[in-house]
Amino acid sequence: MPTFIPRLVLMQRAALNYPLGQHLMRRFNQEGIEVVFYDRRIPSFPHRSFRAGFLFSKRTMVVTLWKRGVFQTCRPSAHYQLPLVSGCPGLCEYCYLNTNLGRRPFVKVYVNLEDIFHQARQYVRQRRPQTTIFEGAATSDPVAVEGWTGSLKNAVQFFAGLKDAYFRFVTKYTDVEGLLGIEHRGKTEIRFSLNSDYIVETFEKAAPRIDSRLKAARKVWEAGYPLGFLIGPIFAFEGWRREYERLLAAIRDYLPEDATFTFELITHRFTSRAKKIIQEAYPGTEVPMDERERRFRYGQFGYGKYVYPPEVMEELQEFFYARIEELFPHARILYFV
Ligand code: SF4
């Protein structure tokens, strides 16, 4: 049974014209999950508060068609987003999707995979002889619904057979069984998003525990996938050194000494819009968002964000670089931001 069980499914009728739509419909019937059909617009449901509507959307799966026609770019981690899923059932209070998906953060899955792969193929052709990289988790955690859709499995197999293209995605979820025995030819990189136990317990309310994520990481490494760890958002809370030291030690315990993998290190940052939404969705949240303790910086998309001041950034960076170099001589740090 997948980790995420939707309370309600909103199914676009046209999705039933696709094998994935039919497959999902059969599964929902088997599991006794309520399905409401719609034709054009996702139906609205009245809620007594912003929070109630937000939580309702997080537990609702929308099965629909990808219609945008073009992929969003995805700098710097890839060239394009691969739109298999949008949204995530996780309740991480700091989540960046709080800004992007706003008031109705439904978990949307797209059933017209052939159209999506066709579009990916076009981009790869246009960019040849350069390589094109696709990111599968830019607006979602796609593993959270993989147990239902199998879309990542399809994407991994698709990219295994596509020259000059690579695929990557990041996850906190652990439903990776379907990805283990399939042909990937080392062309899909799977990264696991990790944090200290304190941060996971305090802010990541609906995501699997760290040891489960590390077990899943070990499995995908054994299956020969290129592996990465994204540590983030890194918070400079009281006791952070001890906590992050423990996390690095846990990674050490779960993977063999000669394993090669990458690290991406992302410190916490927030925008004014995200702060407002987070405070409405999670009243009383303890996510540190005091502007006076941060430095304001304009981001690449034109809006400003609050990051840690330079002295804190330096301390964090020094710690992570020193400890990772010592504990993981075969690992590579891709960036620290
Ligand atoms: Fe956001 Fe990732 Fe948490 Fe999902 S698992 S809520 S995408 S941070």
Side-chain angles (χ1 to χ4, degrees):
M1 194 68 175
T3 316
F4 165 56
I5 314 292
R7 294 268 175 87
L8 174 69
V9 169
L10 304 177
M11 166 98 57
Q12 189 171 16
R13 234 176 281 271
L16 289 175
N17 297 332
Y18 294 83
L20 178 53
Q22 293 159 10
H23 163 79
L24 286 169
M25 194 59 220
R26 277 194 301 275
R27 294 278 315 272
F28 299 141
N29 282 339
Q30 276 164 9
E31 304 298 340
I33 294 172
E34 188 188 353
V35 177
V36 171
F37 289 98
Y38 72 95
D39 286 307
R40 292 169 71 83
R41 293 176 79 87
I42 299 174
S44 294
F45 297 84
H47 297 287
R48 63 180 188 286
S49 67
F50 173 86
R51 177 174 159 79
F54 181 91
L55 295 178
F56 167 83
S57 305
K58 284 267 184 185
R59 295 180 196 123
T60 302
M61 190 190 288
V62 173
V63 180
T64 182
L65 271 65
W66 174 75
K67 284 257 181 71
R68 212 178 172 123
V70 290
F71 289 179
Q72 303 278 96
T73 55
C74 193
R75 300 273 178 195
S77 76
H79 297 100
Y80 293 103
Q81 303 180 7
L82 190 78
L84 301 174
V85 184
S86 138
C88 170
L91 297 173
C92 304
E93 296 183 13
Y94 55 71
C95 178
Y96 65 101
L97 293 184
N98 292 330
T99 328
N100 297 354
L101 302 180
R103 299 193 158 259
R104 297 205 302 168
F106 290 119
V107 183
K108 278 190 198 166
V109 305
Y110 301 111
V111 294
N112 50 336
L113 296 183
E114 280 315 315
D115 296 339
I116 296 166
F117 295 152
H118 173 74
Q119 186 64 36
R121 224 180 267 118
Q122 302 287 96
Y123 287 121
V124 172
R125 268 193 206 126
Q126 284 163 14
R127 286 182 38 85
R128 273 186 183 132
Q130 294 175 60
T131 299
T132 307
I133 303 171
F134 295 86
E135 166 67 59
T139 59
S140 67
D141 188 320
V143 178
V145 291
E146 180 64 8
W148 294 103
T149 64
S151 298
L152 284 173
K153 177 179 171 182
N154 277 296
V156 168
Q157 289 169 320
F158 167 73
F159 283 104
L162 185 63
K163 225 169 126 270
D164 302 319
Y166 283 90
F167 182 43
R168 65 201 308 254
F169 59 86
V170 60
T171 184
K172 286 188 173 71
Y173 283 81
T174 54
D175 293 350
V176 295
E177 295 300 327
L179 305 176
L180 299 181
I182 61 172
E183 181 160 34
H184 57 75
R185 297 195 185 161
K187 296 188 68 195
T188 293
E189 183 195 27
I190 303 180
R191 295 118 75 215
F192 285 85
S193 167
L194 305 174
N195 220 312
S196 84
D197 284 336
Y198 166 75
I199 297 298
V200 173
E201 278 154 27
T202 314
F203 301 134
E204 298 181 1
K205 295 285 161 51
R209 293 166 48 97
I210 289 297
D211 52 354
S212 311
R213 294 181 217 176
L214 287 170
K215 269 183 211 153
R218 168 86 191 207
K219 285 183 198 166
V220 305
W221 178 81
E222 282 170 351
Y225 283 95
L227 173 68
F229 292 111
L230 188 155
I231 303 184
I234 297 169
F235 288 95
F237 58 96
E238 207 187 313
W240 64 263
R241 281 172 192 277
R242 191 184 57 243
E243 283 271 331
Y244 285 118
E245 184 73 47
R246 217 182 287 153
L247 171 65
L248 295 173
I251 300 173
R252 170 78 295 148
D253 288 348
Y254 274 92
L255 285 151
E257 218 168 313
D258 60 346
T260 54
F261 43 81
T262 58
F263 280 102
E264 293 160 85
L265 306 167
I266 304 180
T267 56
H268 180 244
R269 62 239 10 253
F270 63 93
T271 61
S272 302
R273 180 171 145 75
K275 178 173 175 175
K276 198 168 161 285
I277 293 176
I278 291 168
Q279 285 175 333
E280 271 189 277
Y282 304 100
T285 180
E286 289 174 24
V287 175
M289 291 182 291
D290 183 346
E291 292 83 353
R292 290 165 306 182
E293 292 173 4
R294 300 295 177 101
R295 183 166 64 109
F296 185 74
R297 231 184 52 199
Y298 276 104
Q300 58 170 324
F301 302 111
Y303 53 80
K305 54 192 169 191
Y306 293 91
V307 300
Y308 281 115
E311 60 279 10
V312 177
M313 291 292 271
E314 238 168 71
E315 245 185 284
L316 291 166
Q317 185 167 10
E318 262 173 36
F319 167 82
F320 277 101
Y321 273 70
R323 298 308 298 135
I324 287 173
E325 273 163 25
E326 195 180 324
L327 287 164
F328 308 100
H330 300 286
R332 207 155 42 94
I333 299 175
L334 298 184
Y335 58 82
F336 170 95
V337 289

